[in-house]
Amino acid sequence: MQTIDFELEGDYVELNMLLKLTGLCDSGGAGKAIVATGAVKVDGVTELRKTCKIHAGQIATIDDVEIRVLADPAG
């Protein structure tokens, strides 16, 4: 399984934008479409809310990719 460490810039990132910012899709709209199919899990649970807030410490998975969301290094 491939692991991507994503550092937040702020308190949270919306799930569809997380997929875009990690390079797993081309746009936020494409991210929404992927989430709508039920292909994304957050902390092991299928997530269908396209713009749900993902906070530091959470893990999102899609196919064989795991995205670990890390706290904002700036504070």
Side-chain angles (χ1 to χ4, degrees), residues 4 6-7 13 16 28-29 31 38 42-44 46 50 54 59 65 73:
I4 299 171
F6 178 81
E7 291 184 349
V13 62
N16 65 310
V42 176
D43 296 333
T46 300
K50 301 167 192 85
I54 305 299
I59 296 174
V65 179

Side-chain angles (χ1 to χ4, degrees), residues 55-73:
H55 299 274
Q58 291 189 290
I59 296 174
T61 52
I62 177 171
D63 298 326
D64 63 343
V65 179
E66 178 180 273
I67 306 166
R68 295 187 303 187
V69 180
L70 308 174
D72 184 347

Side-chain angles (χ1 to χ4, degrees), residues 22 53 75:
T22 55
K53 295 176 181 177

Side-chain angles (χ1 to χ4, degrees), residues 6-18:
F6 178 81
E7 291 184 349
L8 279 177
E9 292 180 9
D11 293 333
Y12 68 89
V13 62
E14 293 178 351
L15 182 56
N16 65 310
M17 293 306 295
L18 178 65

